[in-house]
Amino acid sequence: MHEYTPELEELICEGISSGKSMRQLCDAKKDDKSFPSRSTLLRWLAKYPEFEAKCARARELQADSDFEKTGEIIEKLEEGTMEPDVA
């Protein structure tokens, strides 16, 4: 069983805000025994309201980033600097 720590919380939230899902983070770290499983992360979300809030904020940041990327792609398509099949 893994211990909930501020360091792991920060690592998880950074990963989410940079575009990774919790599943992707856990899959990438499954060989790293110091990283908790997805089921442990889900338990932590239920047990620690501050962790849940920080993960929700990280997801908002992820969505903002995705929205900006989409806008950049649309702009390039409209300018003709990106081919539709590439977009």
Side-chain angles (χ1 to χ4, degrees):
M1 191 75 164
H2 289 86
E3 182 180 340
Y4 176 81
T5 65
E7 294 80 19
L8 271 175
E9 175 187 279
E10 185 176 335
L11 181 67
I12 293 161
C13 290
E14 283 178 9
I16 292 169
S17 64
S18 71
K20 300 228 184 288
S21 70
M22 224 176 246
R23 184 178 307 279
Q24 288 172 319
L25 290 171
C26 292
D27 286 348
K29 301 287 187 175
K30 66 182 166 189
D31 293 329
D32 180 358
K33 301 300 181 206
S34 66
F35 197 84
S37 67
R38 186 168 184 274
S39 61
T40 298
L41 293 182
L42 294 175
R43 279 195 301 277
W44 288 354
L45 287 170
K47 185 175 181 179
Y48 301 105
E50 70 277 4
F51 179 55
E52 181 182 27
K54 287 180 180 180
C55 284
R57 179 64 183 138
R59 286 186 183 103
E60 289 173 1
L61 294 171
Q62 179 187 44
D64 287 346
S65 176
D66 289 346
F67 182 77
E68 289 174 1
K69 288 176 190 173
T70 302
E72 291 170 4
I73 291 170
I74 291 169
E75 190 175 297
K76 289 178 182 179
L77 286 168
E78 290 174 344
E79 293 171 348
T81 58
M82 180 182 278
E83 295 297 319
D85 60 330
V86 174

Coordinates of all heavy atoms in Angstrom, one line a residue:
M1 N 0.8 -1.2 0.0 CA 0.0 0.0 0.0 C 0.9 1.2 0.0 O 1.9 1.3 0.7 CB -0.9 0.0 1.2 CG -2.0 1.0 1.2 SD -3.2 0.4 0.1 CE -4.5 1.5 0.5
H2 N 0.5 2.2 -0.8 CA 1.3 3.4 -0.9 C 0.8 4.5 0.0 O -0.4 4.6 0.3 CB 1.3 3.9 -2.4 CG 2.0 3.1 -3.3 ND1 1.5 2.0 -3.9 CD2 3.3 3.2 -3.7 CE1 2.4 1.5 -4.7 NE2 3.5 2.2 -4.6
E3 N 1.7 5.3 0.5 CA 1.4 6.4 1.3 C 1.1 7.6 0.5 O 1.8 7.9 -0.4 CB 2.5 6.7 2.3 CG 2.3 7.8 3.3 CD 3.4 8.0 4.2 OE1 4.3 7.1 4.3 OE2 3.5 9.1 4.8
Y4 N 0.0 8.3 0.8 CA -0.4 9.6 0.2 C 0.6 10.6 0.6 O 0.8 10.9 1.8 CB -1.8 9.9 0.5 CG -2.3 11.2 0.0 CD1 -2.7 11.3 -1.3 CD2 -2.3 12.4 0.8 CE1 -3.2 12.5 -1.8 CE2 -2.7 13.6 0.2 CZ -3.1 13.6 -1.1 OH -3.6 14.8 -1.6
T5 N 1.3 11.3 -0.3 CA 2.2 12.3 0.0 C 2.0 13.5 -0.9 O 1.5 13.4 -2.0 CB 3.7 11.8 -0.1 OG1 3.9 11.6 -1.5 CG2 4.0 10.6 0.7
P6 N 2.4 14.7 -0.4 CA 2.3 15.9 -1.2 C 3.2 15.8 -2.5 O 2.8 16.3 -3.6 CB 2.9 17.0 -0.3 CG 2.7 16.5 1.1 CD 2.8 15.0 1.0
E7 N 4.3 15.0 -2.4 CA 5.1 14.9 -3.6 C 4.4 14.0 -4.7 O 4.5 14.4 -5.9 CB 6.5 14.2 -3.2 CG 7.3 15.0 -2.3 CD 6.9 15.0 -0.8 OE1 6.2 14.1 -0.4 OE2 7.4 15.9 -0.1
L8 N 3.8 13.0 -4.3 CA 3.0 12.2 -5.3 C 1.8 12.9 -5.8 O 1.5 12.9 -7.0 CB 2.5 10.9 -4.6 CG 3.5 9.7 -4.7 CD1 2.9 8.5 -3.9 CD2 3.8 9.3 -6.1
E9 N 1.2 13.7 -4.9 CA 0.1 14.5 -5.3 C 0.5 15.5 -6.4 O -0.1 15.6 -7.5 CB -0.5 15.3 -4.1 CG -1.6 16.3 -4.5 CD -1.9 17.2 -3.3 OE1 -2.6 16.7 -2.4 OE2 -1.4 18.3 -3.2
E10 N 1.6 16.1 -6.2 CA 2.2 17.1 -7.2 C 2.5 16.4 -8.5 O 2.2 16.9 -9.6 CB 3.4 17.8 -6.6 CG 3.9 18.9 -7.5 CD 5.1 19.6 -6.9 OE1 5.2 19.7 -5.7 OE2 5.9 20.2 -7.7
L11 N 3.2 15.2 -8.4 CA 3.5 14.5 -9.6 C 2.3 14.1 -10.4 O 2.3 14.3 -11.7 CB 4.3 13.2 -9.2 CG 4.8 12.3 -10.3 CD1 5.9 13.0 -11.1 CD2 5.4 11.0 -9.7
I12 N 1.3 13.6 -9.8 CA 0.1 13.2 -10.5 C -0.6 14.4 -11.1 O -1.0 14.4 -12.3 CB -0.9 12.5 -9.5 CG1 -0.3 11.2 -9.0 CG2 -2.3 12.3 -10.1 CD1 -0.9 10.7 -7.7
C13 N -0.8 15.5 -10.4 CA -1.4 16.7 -10.9 C -0.6 17.3 -12.1 O -1.2 17.8 -13.0 CB -1.7 17.7 -9.8 SG -3.0 17.2 -8.6
E14 N 0.7 17.3 -12.0 CA 1.5 17.8 -13.1 C 1.3 17.0 -14.3 O 1.2 17.5 -15.4 CB 3.0 17.8 -12.7 CG 3.4 18.9 -11.8 CD 4.9 18.9 -11.4 OE1 5.6 18.0 -12.0 OE2 5.2 19.7 -10.5
G15 N 1.2 15.7 -14.1 CA 1.0 14.8 -15.3 C -0.3 15.0 -15.9 O -0.5 15.1 -17.2
I16 N -1.4 15.2 -15.1 CA -2.7 15.4 -15.7 C -2.7 16.8 -16.4 O -3.2 16.9 -17.5 CB -3.8 15.4 -14.5 CG1 -3.9 14.0 -14.0 CG2 -5.1 15.9 -15.1 CD1 -4.7 13.9 -12.7
S17 N -2.2 17.8 -15.8 CA -2.3 19.1 -16.4 C -1.4 19.2 -17.7 O -1.7 20.0 -18.6 CB -1.9 20.2 -15.5 OG -0.5 20.1 -15.1
S18 N -0.5 18.3 -17.8 CA 0.3 18.3 -19.0 C -0.3 17.4 -20.2 O 0.3 17.3 -21.2 CB 1.8 17.8 -18.8 OG 1.7 16.4 -18.5
G19 N -1.5 16.9 -19.9 CA -2.2 16.2 -20.9 C -2.4 14.7 -20.8 O -3.0 14.0 -21.6
K20 N -1.9 14.1 -19.7 CA -2.0 12.7 -19.5 C -3.2 12.3 -18.6 O -3.6 13.1 -17.8 CB -0.8 12.1 -18.8 CG 0.5 12.4 -19.6 CD 1.3 11.1 -19.6 CE 2.7 11.3 -20.3 NZ 2.6 11.5 -21.7
S21 N -3.8 11.2 -18.9 CA -4.9 10.7 -18.1 C -4.3 10.0 -16.9 O -3.2 9.6 -16.9 CB -5.8 9.8 -18.9 OG -5.2 8.6 -19.1
M22 N -5.2 9.8 -15.9 CA -4.7 9.0 -14.7 C -4.3 7.6 -15.1 O -3.3 7.1 -14.7 CB -5.8 9.0 -13.7 CG -5.2 9.3 -12.3 SD -6.6 9.3 -11.1 CE -6.4 11.0 -10.7
R23 N -5.0 7.0 -16.1 CA -4.7 5.7 -16.5 C -3.4 5.7 -17.2 O -2.5 4.8 -17.0 CB -5.8 5.2 -17.5 CG -5.6 3.8 -18.0 CD -6.7 3.3 -18.9 NE -8.1 3.5 -18.4 CZ -8.6 2.6 -17.5 NH1 -8.0 1.6 -17.1 NH2 -9.9 2.9 -17.1
Q24 N -3.1 6.7 -18.1 CA -1.8 6.8 -18.7 C -0.7 6.9 -17.7 O 0.4 6.3 -17.9 CB -1.8 8.0 -19.7 CG -2.6 7.8 -20.9 CD -2.7 9.0 -21.8 OE1 -2.9 10.1 -21.2 NE2 -2.6 8.9 -23.1
L25 N -0.9 7.7 -16.7 CA 0.1 7.9 -15.7 C 0.4 6.6 -15.0 O 1.6 6.2 -14.8 CB -0.3 9.0 -14.7 CG -0.3 10.4 -15.2 CD1 -1.0 11.3 -14.1 CD2 1.1 10.9 -15.5
C26 N -0.6 5.9 -14.6 CA -0.4 4.6 -13.9 C 0.2 3.6 -14.8 O 1.1 2.8 -14.4 CB -1.7 4.2 -13.3 SG -2.4 5.2 -12.0
D27 N -0.2 3.5 -16.1 CA 0.4 2.5 -17.0 C 1.9 2.8 -17.2 O 2.7 1.9 -17.3 CB -0.4 2.5 -18.3 CG -1.7 1.9 -18.2 OD1 -2.0 1.2 -17.2 OD2 -2.5 2.0 -19.2
A28 N 2.2 4.1 -17.3 CA 3.6 4.5 -17.6 C 4.5 4.2 -16.4 O 5.7 3.9 -16.5 CB 3.7 5.9 -18.0
K29 N 3.8 4.2 -15.2 CA 4.6 4.0 -14.0 C 4.4 2.6 -13.3 O 4.9 2.4 -12.2 CB 4.1 5.1 -12.9 CG 4.3 6.5 -13.4 CD 5.8 6.9 -13.4 CE 5.9 8.4 -13.7 NZ 7.3 8.8 -13.6
K30 N 3.8 1.7 -14.0 CA 3.4 0.4 -13.4 C 4.7 -0.4 -13.0 O 4.6 -1.2 -12.1 CB 2.5 -0.4 -14.2 CG 3.0 -0.9 -15.6 CD 1.9 -1.6 -16.3 CE 2.3 -1.8 -17.7 NZ 1.2 -2.3 -18.5
D31 N 5.8 -0.1 -13.7 CA 7.0 -0.8 -13.3 C 7.8 -0.1 -12.2 O 8.7 -0.6 -11.6 CB 8.0 -0.9 -14.5 CG 7.4 -1.8 -15.6 OD1 6.7 -2.8 -15.2 OD2 7.7 -1.6 -16.8
D32 N 7.3 1.1 -11.9 CA 7.9 1.9 -10.8 C 7.1 1.6 -9.5 O 6.0 2.1 -9.4 CB 7.8 3.4 -11.2 CG 8.4 4.3 -10.1 OD1 8.8 3.7 -9.0 OD2 8.4 5.5 -10.3
K33 N 7.7 0.8 -8.7 CA 6.9 0.3 -7.5 C 6.6 1.5 -6.5 O 5.8 1.3 -5.6 CB 7.7 -0.8 -6.8 CG 8.0 -2.0 -7.7 CD 6.7 -2.6 -8.1 CE 7.1 -3.9 -9.0 NZ 6.1 -4.2 -9.9
S34 N 7.3 2.6 -6.7 CA 7.0 3.7 -5.8 C 5.8 4.5 -6.2 O 5.3 5.4 -5.5 CB 8.2 4.7 -5.7 OG 8.4 5.3 -7.0
F35 N 5.2 4.2 -7.4 CA 4.0 4.9 -7.9 C 2.8 4.1 -7.6 O 2.8 2.9 -7.9 CB 4.2 5.2 -9.4 CG 3.2 6.2 -9.9 CD1 3.6 7.6 -9.8 CD2 2.0 5.9 -10.5 CE1 2.7 8.6 -10.3 CE2 1.2 6.9 -11.0 CZ 1.5 8.2 -10.8
P36 N 1.7 4.6 -7.1 CA 0.5 3.9 -6.8 C -0.2 3.4 -8.0 O -0.1 4.0 -9.1 CB -0.3 4.8 -6.0 CG 0.2 6.2 -6.4 CD 1.6 6.0 -6.8
S37 N -1.0 2.4 -7.8 CA -1.9 1.9 -8.9 C -3.1 2.8 -9.1 O -3.4 3.7 -8.3 CB -2.4 0.5 -8.5 OG -3.3 0.6 -7.4
R38 N -3.8 2.6 -10.2 CA -5.0 3.4 -10.5 C -6.0 3.3 -9.4 O -6.7 4.2 -9.0 CB -5.5 3.1 -11.9 CG -6.7 4.0 -12.3 CD -7.0 3.8 -13.8 NE -8.0 4.7 -14.2 CZ -9.3 4.5 -14.1 NH1 -9.8 3.4 -13.5 NH2 -10.2 5.4 -14.5
S39 N -6.2 2.1 -8.9 CA -7.2 1.8 -7.9 C -6.8 2.6 -6.6 O -7.7 3.1 -5.9 CB -7.4 0.3 -7.6 OG -6.2 -0.2 -7.1
T40 N -5.6 2.7 -6.3 CA -5.1 3.5 -5.1 C -5.4 4.9 -5.4 O -5.9 5.6 -4.5 CB -3.6 3.3 -4.9 OG1 -3.4 1.9 -4.6 CG2 -3.1 4.1 -3.7
L41 N -5.2 5.4 -6.6 CA -5.4 6.8 -6.9 C -6.9 7.1 -6.8 O -7.3 8.2 -6.2 CB -4.9 7.2 -8.3 CG -3.4 7.2 -8.5 CD1 -3.1 7.6 -9.9 CD2 -2.7 8.1 -7.5
L42 N -7.8 6.2 -7.2 CA -9.2 6.4 -7.1 C -9.7 6.4 -5.6 O -10.5 7.2 -5.3 CB -10.0 5.3 -7.9 CG -9.8 5.3 -9.4 CD1 -10.4 4.1 -10.1 CD2 -10.3 6.6 -10.0
R43 N -9.0 5.6 -4.8 CA -9.4 5.6 -3.4 C -8.9 7.0 -2.8 O -9.7 7.5 -1.9 CB -8.7 4.5 -2.6 CG -9.4 3.2 -2.8 CD -8.9 2.1 -1.7 NE -7.5 1.8 -1.9 CZ -7.0 0.9 -2.7 NH1 -7.8 0.3 -3.5 NH2 -5.7 0.7 -2.8
W44 N -7.8 7.4 -3.2 CA -7.3 8.7 -2.7 C -8.2 9.9 -3.1 O -8.5 10.8 -2.3 CB -5.9 9.0 -3.2 CG -4.8 8.2 -2.6 CD1 -4.9 7.3 -1.6 CD2 -3.4 8.2 -2.9 NE1 -3.7 6.7 -1.3 CE2 -2.8 7.2 -2.1 CE3 -2.7 8.8 -3.9 CZ2 -1.4 7.0 -2.2 CZ3 -1.3 8.6 -4.0 CH2 -0.7 7.7 -3.2
L45 N -8.8 9.8 -4.3 CA -9.7 10.8 -4.7 C -10.9 10.9 -3.8 O -11.5 12.0 -3.4 CB -10.2 10.6 -6.1 CG -9.2 10.9 -7.2 CD1 -9.7 10.4 -8.6 CD2 -8.8 12.4 -7.3
A46 N -11.4 9.7 -3.3 CA -12.5 9.6 -2.4 C -12.2 10.0 -1.0 O -13.0 10.6 -0.3 CB -13.1 8.2 -2.5
K47 N -11.0 9.7 -0.6 CA -10.5 9.9 0.8 C -10.0 11.4 1.1 O -10.2 11.9 2.2 CB -9.4 8.9 1.1 CG -9.0 9.0 2.6 CD -8.0 7.9 2.9 CE -7.6 7.9 4.3 NZ -6.7 6.8 4.6
Y48 N -9.4 12.0 0.1 CA -8.7 13.3 0.3 C -9.4 14.3 -0.6 O -9.1 14.5 -1.8 CB -7.2 13.2 0.0 CG -6.5 12.2 0.8 CD1 -6.1 11.0 0.3 CD2 -6.2 12.4 2.1 CE1 -5.4 10.0 1.0 CE2 -5.5 11.5 2.9 CZ -5.1 10.3 2.4 OH -4.5 9.4 3.1
P49 N -10.3 15.1 0.0 CA -11.0 16.2 -0.8 C -10.0 17.1 -1.5 O -10.3 17.6 -2.6 CB -11.9 16.9 0.2 CG -12.0 15.9 1.3 CD -10.8 15.1 1.3
E50 N -8.9 17.5 -0.8 CA -7.9 18.4 -1.4 C -7.3 17.8 -2.7 O -7.0 18.5 -3.6 CB -6.9 18.9 -0.4 CG -5.9 17.8 0.0 CD -6.3 16.9 1.1 OE1 -7.5 16.9 1.6 OE2 -5.5 16.0 1.6
F51 N -7.0 16.5 -2.6 CA -6.5 15.8 -3.8 C -7.5 15.8 -4.9 O -7.1 16.1 -6.1 CB -6.0 14.4 -3.4 CG -5.5 13.6 -4.6 CD1 -4.4 14.1 -5.3 CD2 -6.0 12.4 -4.9 CE1 -3.8 13.3 -6.3 CE2 -5.5 11.6 -5.9 CZ -4.4 12.1 -6.6
E52 N -8.7 15.5 -4.6 CA -9.8 15.6 -5.6 C -9.9 17.0 -6.3 O -10.0 17.1 -7.5 CB -11.1 15.2 -5.0 CG -12.2 15.1 -6.0 CD -13.5 14.7 -5.4 OE1 -13.7 15.0 -4.2 OE2 -14.4 14.2 -6.1
A53 N -9.8 18.0 -5.5 CA -9.9 19.4 -6.0 C -8.7 19.7 -6.8 O -8.9 20.3 -7.9 CB -10.0 20.3 -4.8
K54 N -7.5 19.3 -6.4 CA -6.3 19.6 -7.2 C -6.3 18.8 -8.5 O -5.9 19.4 -9.6 CB -5.1 19.3 -6.4 CG -4.8 20.3 -5.3 CD -3.6 19.9 -4.5 CE -3.4 21.0 -3.4 NZ -2.2 20.7 -2.6
C55 N -6.8 17.6 -8.5 CA -7.0 16.8 -9.8 C -8.0 17.5 -10.7 O -7.8 17.5 -11.9 CB -7.3 15.4 -9.5 SG -6.0 14.4 -8.9
A56 N -9.1 18.0 -10.1 CA -10.1 18.6 -10.9 C -9.5 19.9 -11.6 O -9.7 20.2 -12.8 CB -11.3 19.0 -10.1
R57 N -8.7 20.6 -10.8 CA -8.1 21.9 -11.4 C -7.1 21.5 -12.5 O -7.0 22.1 -13.5 CB -7.4 22.6 -10.2 CG -6.7 23.9 -10.7 CD -7.6 24.9 -11.3 NE -6.9 26.0 -11.8 CZ -7.2 26.7 -12.9 NH1 -8.2 26.3 -13.6 NH2 -6.4 27.7 -13.3
A58 N -6.3 20.4 -12.3 CA -5.4 19.9 -13.3 C -6.1 19.6 -14.6 O -5.6 19.8 -15.7 CB -4.6 18.7 -12.7
R59 N -7.3 19.0 -14.4 CA -8.1 18.6 -15.6 C -8.6 19.9 -16.3 O -8.7 19.9 -17.6 CB -9.3 17.7 -15.2 CG -8.8 16.3 -14.9 CD -10.0 15.4 -14.7 NE -9.5 14.1 -14.3 CZ -9.5 13.6 -13.0 NH1 -10.0 14.3 -12.1 NH2 -9.1 12.4 -12.8
E60 N -8.9 20.9 -15.6 CA -9.3 22.2 -16.2 C -8.2 22.8 -17.0 O -8.3 23.3 -18.1 CB -9.8 23.2 -15.1 CG -11.1 22.8 -14.5 CD -11.4 23.7 -13.3 OE1 -10.6 24.6 -13.0 OE2 -12.5 23.5 -12.7
L61 N -7.0 22.7 -16.4 CA -5.8 23.2 -17.1 C -5.5 22.4 -18.4 O -5.2 23.0 -19.4 CB -4.6 23.2 -16.2 CG -4.6 24.2 -15.0 CD1 -3.5 23.9 -14.0 CD2 -4.6 25.6 -15.5
Q62 N -5.7 21.1 -18.3 CA -5.6 20.2 -19.4 C -6.6 20.6 -20.5 O -6.2 20.7 -21.7 CB -5.8 18.8 -19.0 CG -5.6 17.8 -20.1 CD -6.0 16.4 -19.6 OE1 -7.0 16.2 -18.9 NE2 -5.2 15.4 -20.0
A63 N -7.8 20.8 -20.1 CA -8.8 21.2 -21.1 C -8.5 22.6 -21.7 O -8.7 22.7 -22.9 CB -10.2 21.3 -20.4
D64 N -8.0 23.5 -20.9 CA -7.6 24.8 -21.5 C -6.5 24.7 -22.5 O -6.6 25.3 -23.6 CB -7.1 25.8 -20.4 CG -8.3 26.3 -19.5 OD1 -9.4 26.2 -19.9 OD2 -8.0 26.8 -18.4
S65 N -5.6 23.8 -22.2 CA -4.5 23.6 -23.2 C -5.0 22.9 -24.4 O -4.6 23.3 -25.5 CB -3.4 22.7 -22.5 OG -2.4 22.4 -23.4
D66 N -5.8 22.0 -24.3 CA -6.4 21.3 -25.5 C -7.2 22.3 -26.3 O -7.1 22.3 -27.6 CB -7.3 20.1 -25.1 CG -6.5 19.0 -24.5 OD1 -5.3 18.9 -24.7 OD2 -7.2 18.1 -23.9
F67 N -8.0 23.2 -25.7 CA -8.7 24.2 -26.4 C -7.8 25.1 -27.2 O -8.1 25.4 -28.3 CB -9.6 25.0 -25.4 CG -10.5 26.0 -26.0 CD1 -11.7 25.6 -26.7 CD2 -10.2 27.3 -26.0 CE1 -12.5 26.6 -27.3 CE2 -11.0 28.3 -26.6 CZ -12.1 27.9 -27.2
E68 N -6.7 25.5 -26.5 CA -5.8 26.4 -27.2 C -5.2 25.7 -28.4 O -5.0 26.3 -29.5 CB -4.7 26.9 -26.2 CG -5.2 27.9 -25.2 CD -4.2 28.2 -24.2 OE1 -3.0 27.7 -24.2 OE2 -4.5 29.0 -23.3
K69 N -4.8 24.5 -28.3 CA -4.2 23.7 -29.4 C -5.2 23.6 -30.5 O -4.8 23.8 -31.7 CB -3.8 22.3 -28.9 CG -2.6 22.3 -28.0 CD -2.3 20.9 -27.5 CE -1.3 20.9 -26.5 NZ -1.1 19.5 -25.9
T70 N -6.5 23.4 -30.2 CA -7.5 23.3 -31.2 C -7.6 24.6 -32.0 O -7.7 24.6 -33.2 CB -8.8 22.9 -30.6 OG1 -8.7 21.6 -30.0 CG2 -9.9 22.8 -31.7
G71 N -7.6 25.7 -31.2 CA -7.7 27.0 -31.9 C -6.5 27.3 -32.8 O -6.7 27.9 -33.9
E72 N -5.3 26.9 -32.4 CA -4.1 27.0 -33.2 C -4.2 26.2 -34.5 O -3.9 26.7 -35.6 CB -2.9 26.6 -32.4 CG -2.5 27.6 -31.3 CD -1.4 27.1 -30.4 OE1 -0.9 26.0 -30.6 OE2 -1.2 27.7 -29.3
I73 N -4.8 25.0 -34.4 CA -4.9 24.2 -35.6 C -5.9 24.8 -36.5 O -5.7 24.9 -37.8 CB -5.4 22.8 -35.2 CG1 -4.2 22.1 -34.5 CG2 -5.8 22.0 -36.4 CD1 -4.6 20.7 -33.9
I74 N -7.1 25.3 -36.0 CA -8.1 26.0 -36.8 C -7.5 27.2 -37.5 O -7.7 27.4 -38.7 CB -9.3 26.4 -36.0 CG1 -10.0 25.1 -35.6 CG2 -10.2 27.3 -36.8 CD1 -11.1 25.3 -34.5
E75 N -6.7 28.0 -36.8 CA -6.1 29.2 -37.4 C -5.1 28.8 -38.5 O -5.2 29.4 -39.6 CB -5.3 29.9 -36.3 CG -4.8 31.3 -36.6 CD -4.2 32.0 -35.5 OE1 -4.9 32.2 -34.5 OE2 -2.9 32.2 -35.5
K76 N -4.4 27.8 -38.3 CA -3.4 27.3 -39.4 C -4.2 26.8 -40.6 O -3.8 27.1 -41.7 CB -2.5 26.3 -38.9 CG -1.5 26.8 -37.9 CD -0.6 25.7 -37.4 CE 0.4 26.3 -36.4 NZ 1.3 25.2 -35.8
L77 N -5.3 26.1 -40.4 CA -6.1 25.7 -41.5 C -6.7 26.9 -42.3 O -6.7 26.9 -43.5 CB -7.3 24.8 -41.0 CG -6.9 23.4 -40.6 CD1 -8.0 22.7 -39.8 CD2 -6.5 22.6 -41.7
E78 N -7.2 27.9 -41.5 CA -7.8 29.0 -42.2 C -6.7 29.8 -43.0 O -7.0 30.4 -44.0 CB -8.5 29.9 -41.2 CG -9.7 29.3 -40.6 CD -10.3 30.1 -39.5 OE1 -9.7 31.0 -38.9 OE2 -11.5 29.8 -39.2
E79 N -5.5 29.9 -42.4 CA -4.4 30.6 -43.1 C -3.9 29.8 -44.3 O -3.1 30.4 -45.1 CB -3.2 30.8 -42.1 CG -3.5 31.7 -41.0 CD -2.4 31.8 -39.9 OE1 -1.6 30.9 -39.9 OE2 -2.5 32.7 -39.1
G80 N -4.2 28.5 -44.3 CA -3.6 27.7 -45.4 C -2.2 27.2 -45.1 O -1.5 26.7 -46.0
T81 N -1.8 27.3 -43.8 CA -0.4 26.9 -43.5 C -0.4 25.4 -43.0 O 0.7 24.9 -42.6 CB 0.2 27.8 -42.4 OG1 -0.6 27.8 -41.3 CG2 0.4 29.2 -43.0
M82 N -1.6 24.8 -42.9 CA -1.7 23.4 -42.5 C -2.7 22.7 -43.4 O -3.8 23.2 -43.7 CB -2.1 23.3 -41.0 CG -2.2 21.8 -40.6 SD -2.7 21.7 -38.8 CE -1.2 22.0 -38.0
E83 N -2.3 21.5 -43.9 CA -3.2 20.8 -44.7 C -4.3 20.1 -43.8 O -4.0 19.6 -42.7 CB -2.5 19.7 -45.5 CG -1.5 20.2 -46.5 CD -2.1 21.0 -47.6 OE1 -3.2 20.6 -48.1 OE2 -1.6 22.1 -48.0
P84 N -5.5 20.0 -44.3 CA -6.6 19.4 -43.6 C -6.3 18.0 -43.1 O -6.7 17.6 -42.0 CB -7.8 19.5 -44.5 CG -7.5 20.6 -45.4 CD -6.0 20.6 -45.6
D85 N -5.7 17.2 -44.0 CA -5.4 15.8 -43.6 C -4.3 15.7 -42.5 O -4.3 14.8 -41.7 CB -5.0 15.0 -44.8 CG -3.7 15.5 -45.5 OD1 -3.5 16.7 -45.4 OD2 -3.0 14.7 -46.0
V86 N -3.5 16.8 -42.3 CA -2.5 16.8 -41.2 C -3.2 17.2 -39.9 O -2.9 16.7 -38.8 CB -1.4 17.8 -41.5 CG1 -0.5 18.0 -40.4 CG2 -0.6 17.4 -42.8
A87 N -4.2 18.1 -40.0 CA -4.9 18.6 -38.9 C -5.7 17.4 -38.2 O -5.8 17.3 -37.1 CB -5.9 19.7 -39.2

